[in-house]
Amino acid sequence: MTKDLDLVSKLSPEELAYKRFSLQCVSPDDGKYEYASRRLKPYLSDESEWRTCAYMQRILLETRVEFGKAEKRHLDEVDAALPKIDFLNMALLEDKVTRHDQLAVIEELGRFVSEETKAVLHPGTTSYDILDPARAYLFRKAWKEVIRPEVTKSIETLCDFAEQNMEVLQVGRTHLQNTSPVPLGLTFSIYAARLANRLQKCDEYFNDLKGKVSGIVGTGASIEMVIGEGKSIEFEKAVLAKLGIKPDYASTQITPKESLADVGHGLTTLMHVLADFTNDTRMLYSSAIGEVTSLDSSARLGGSSADAAKNNPINYENTTGKAAVVESGMRILYEMINSDFQRDLRNSVQARYQPRLMMVQTYEAFSRLNKALPQLWVIRAQVEENLLPVRKSPSEAMVAILRGAGWNHSEYGAGHDFVKEISKRVKSENRTLLDIALEDAEFTALYETLPANKRDVLKGKLEKYIGSSLQRAVINMSYAKGVIADPLY
């Protein structure tokens, strides 16, 4: 049967224009991953920044009115003008006329207000009295309203998955070698808790973003020329309170950028924990281990262009790879901390890139994961099959039991050395570790004195060798759920 492969004809005119434009973009954020960028455009796009800069002028004027340094009619004019302004015209004005972004904002507002009202805008402020608070406001909203909910969804799903698989006993792996078992529920609860910890840190870092309204060198002198002597700090607090942010009194012409580096660090560590989980999952997905798959795997065969029967863990591999992409933004954020004296343009150009792109890719990674996680399925028969060799040879458990008894062998010495010696015969003789150990009279004498639960463990009943793991899983899930339910806002 011939497939209908003409998908372009099925797009609406608006969608077609958007897709054509995206195809010409240089950045993958606006091309391949444009759906993620589109979700964050109301917060991270140039248009959102122009809009918020205009809103900042409105807040400054409103606060000026409250301080008795402008009239209510001036504010009414700006309120009437805001729905009419054109953000594209602001960008064109900056490029062709003003050569300055905030002057372009004032000129655009000036097209719709009187000269008198235009004259009371931008009261002793500099451009970064507008931009830094605007960006702090937008970044916090983007985290709280878009990115954080996507992360919490992943954590919730991991907790659900942990609860559903709490009793599934999986072989433990250290140095990629099989060892004593771990309940699968504990494994997933650990990742939920680790992600929740990073989420909590990101809450703190985004919540710590501050702003400034203190003039060209941060002294407040120019503000006081407009608002009144001794009132610059009070004015600054009042303006920023309307955005829900606090002043940073270490500001010069710009707000210090260490807090943005903290945000980047939070996103980077969050992404690396995510990558640790997705990388482990893709290995569990591998042909060599085969303990998990996707419920929709049969419909997705053909992930390889060469082998049509392969079921590649595409989403988990892509998500793992994004950690390095997000981390790459830290170089820029660290450099943004440097500024010659009160201000230079280096961190101005750098701020056009980060942390915006880091935020987009973090969101894309978690939204991708949230499509994959509900399809994740444990192949319990394979999990048990992989555990069988450890049931046959519970060497680490035997060492722990012998150490608990303070036992030494007359020929081999410490219990660890005894177990090492007899373990050499397990594979070659295809027998259990216990069978071989019981051929030794000294071990047999000890074995007969052991309590039933320890003898059961040595017989391969590893369900009795999980310690406090289930309690730990419950603690992890309780912590994770508490974090996602109680943001710092």
Side-chain angles (χ1 to χ4, degrees):
M1 184 175 69
T2 303
K3 295 180 180 179
D4 181 4
L5 298 178
D6 181 10
L7 302 183
V8 170
S9 64
K10 297 175 176 60
L11 297 174
S12 68
E14 180 184 26
E15 190 70 10
L16 177 62
Y18 194 94
K19 292 290 186 182
R20 292 282 188 201
F21 172 78
S22 296
L23 203 59
Q24 297 178 45
C25 291
V26 173
S27 171
D29 285 314
D30 289 319
K32 196 172 188 68
Y33 306 116
E34 60 86 16
Y35 75 90
S37 291
R38 194 187 307 188
R39 183 70 181 84
L40 284 161
K41 284 183 188 297
Y43 310 88
L44 304 182
S45 65
D46 286 348
E47 180 177 293
S48 68
E49 193 167 279
W50 285 117
R51 178 185 290 107
T52 308
C53 287
Y55 178 55
M56 276 293 300
Q57 291 294 343
R58 192 259 177 215
I59 290 175
L60 287 165
L61 180 56
E62 178 185 42
T63 311
R64 182 172 178 170
V65 170
E66 293 167 357
F67 276 70
K69 298 300 180 179
E71 303 294 331
K72 177 66 165 53
R73 56 190 172 85
H74 298 138
L75 182 60
D76 291 340
E77 279 191 44
V78 170
D79 283 339
L82 286 175
K84 303 174 186 177
I85 60 177
D86 189 325
F87 307 117
L88 175 58
N89 200 52
M90 286 183 185
L92 293 173
L93 284 169
E94 180 193 19
D95 184 45
K96 306 294 185 184
V97 180
T98 65
R99 299 293 181 182
H100 190 284
D101 52 3
Q102 299 312 310
L103 293 180
V105 173
I106 294 170
E107 290 302 327
E108 177 63 12
L109 282 167
R111 295 200 302 136
F112 304 100
V113 301
S114 65
E115 287 294 323
E116 181 184 344
T117 294
K118 182 182 176 184
V120 295
L121 298 175
H122 211 37
T125 44
T126 184
S127 59
Y128 273 77
D129 289 322
I130 312 300
L131 273 175
D132 277 346
R135 286 171 175 164
Y137 170 75
L138 288 170
F139 293 162
R140 289 180 63 187
K141 281 176 67 68
W143 168 253
K144 180 182 178 182
E145 296 176 8
V146 180
I147 304 172
R148 190 184 199 277
E150 208 67 28
V151 180
T152 62
K153 186 187 298 184
S154 295
I155 296 172
E156 287 172 346
T157 305
L158 286 172
C159 286
D160 291 343
F161 197 87
E163 289 174 344
Q164 293 161 13
N165 294 278
M166 194 61 70
E167 303 302 326
V168 177
L169 207 58
Q170 178 190 45
V171 63
R173 296 176 173 95
T174 61
H175 309 284
L176 297 180
Q177 303 299 306
N178 293 347
T179 187
S180 296
V182 180
L184 195 58
L186 175 63
T187 299
F188 278 83
S189 77
I190 288 171
Y191 281 115
R194 290 176 64 193
L195 287 172
N197 174 266
R198 293 297 90 196
L199 176 72
Q200 192 171 44
K201 291 298 182 183
C202 285
D203 281 342
E204 293 174 8
Y205 296 145
F206 277 97
N207 200 44
D208 194 46
L209 290 175
K210 296 182 176 70
K212 55 95 66 180
V213 183
S214 54
I216 193 165
V217 289
T219 63
S222 58
I223 306 296
E224 295 192 1
M225 292 297 101
V226 177
I227 303 303
E229 187 175 347
K231 294 184 177 180
S232 59
I233 288 180
E234 183 184 355
F235 181 79
E236 180 178 42
K237 286 181 179 178
V239 170
L240 297 180
K242 293 179 171 68
L243 297 171
I245 58 178
K246 298 176 182 178
D248 191 325
Y249 296 115
S251 297
T252 53
Q253 189 175 117
I254 59 175
T255 304
K257 298 298 182 277
E258 296 90 275
S259 59
L260 282 181
D262 287 338
V263 162
H265 172 72
L267 294 174
T268 298
T269 54
L270 174 68
M271 282 296 299
H272 273 288
V273 172
L274 177 63
D276 195 25
F277 165 69
T278 53
N279 189 57
D280 278 358
T281 303
R282 79 183 189 92
M283 287 194 289
L284 293 177
Y285 211 109
S286 69
S287 299
I289 298 176
E291 292 184 356
V292 300
T293 188
S294 295
L295 287 172
D296 61 350
S297 59
S298 61
R300 292 194 301 106
L301 291 182
S304 165
S305 61
D307 188 342
K310 281 178 68 184
N311 179 20
N312 295 340
I314 299 169
N315 285 315
Y316 296 100
E317 291 186 332
N318 277 318
T319 303
T320 302
K322 285 188 181 292
V325 176
V326 173
E327 182 186 336
S328 68
M330 288 307 300
R331 175 70 182 87
I332 294 173
L333 291 178
Y334 287 140
E335 187 62 29
M336 284 171 62
I337 294 172
N338 300 317
S339 179
D340 288 345
F341 303 108
Q342 281 71 45
R343 165 91 162 100
D344 66 64
L345 282 175
R346 288 174 298 164
N347 54 37
S348 176
V349 68
Q350 292 156 358
R352 294 169 193 161
Y353 297 91
Q354 300 299 355
R356 293 190 205 187
L357 303 184
M358 298 171 74
M359 293 170 71
V360 170
Q361 283 304 304
T362 299
Y363 171 76
E364 200 281 332
F366 278 95
S367 61
R368 179 185 292 269
L369 180 66
N370 286 330
K371 294 174 184 175
L373 271 182
Q375 300 294 325
L376 190 63
W377 183 257
V378 177
I379 306 173
R380 297 194 178 195
Q382 187 62 46
V383 174
E384 177 57 30
E385 184 176 335
N386 290 342
L387 185 59
L388 284 177
V390 182
R391 290 191 187 277
K392 180 180 177 181
S393 180
S395 54
E396 186 275 330
M398 183 177 282
V399 170
I401 289 169
L402 295 180
R403 281 178 170 155
W407 183 79
N408 283 288
H409 191 275
S410 62
E411 179 181 354
Y412 302 115
H416 181 279
D417 296 324
F418 170 77
V419 174
K420 181 169 65 174
E421 187 63 30
I422 65 171
S423 292
K424 297 175 183 177
R425 297 168 53 190
V426 172
K427 291 184 179 180
S428 62
E429 299 180 18
N430 194 25
R431 299 164 63 198
T432 70
L433 184 69
L434 181 60
D435 284 345
I436 296 173
L438 287 172
E439 292 177 352
D440 184 276
E442 293 180 42
F443 176 84
T444 300
L446 172 68
Y447 179 77
E448 291 174 352
T449 69
L450 294 175
N453 67 314
K454 292 184 179 180
R455 292 199 302 270
D456 284 344
V457 169
L458 295 177
K459 291 174 184 176
K461 296 179 180 179
L462 296 178
E463 290 75 12
K464 297 186 177 183
Y465 193 64
I466 59 173
S468 57
S469 59
L470 299 184
Q471 293 172 266
R472 294 170 187 270
V474 170
I475 292 170
N476 287 334
M477 290 186 291
S478 177
Y479 166 69
K481 291 177 180 179
V483 170
I484 62 180
D486 187 26
L488 296 176
Y489 292 97

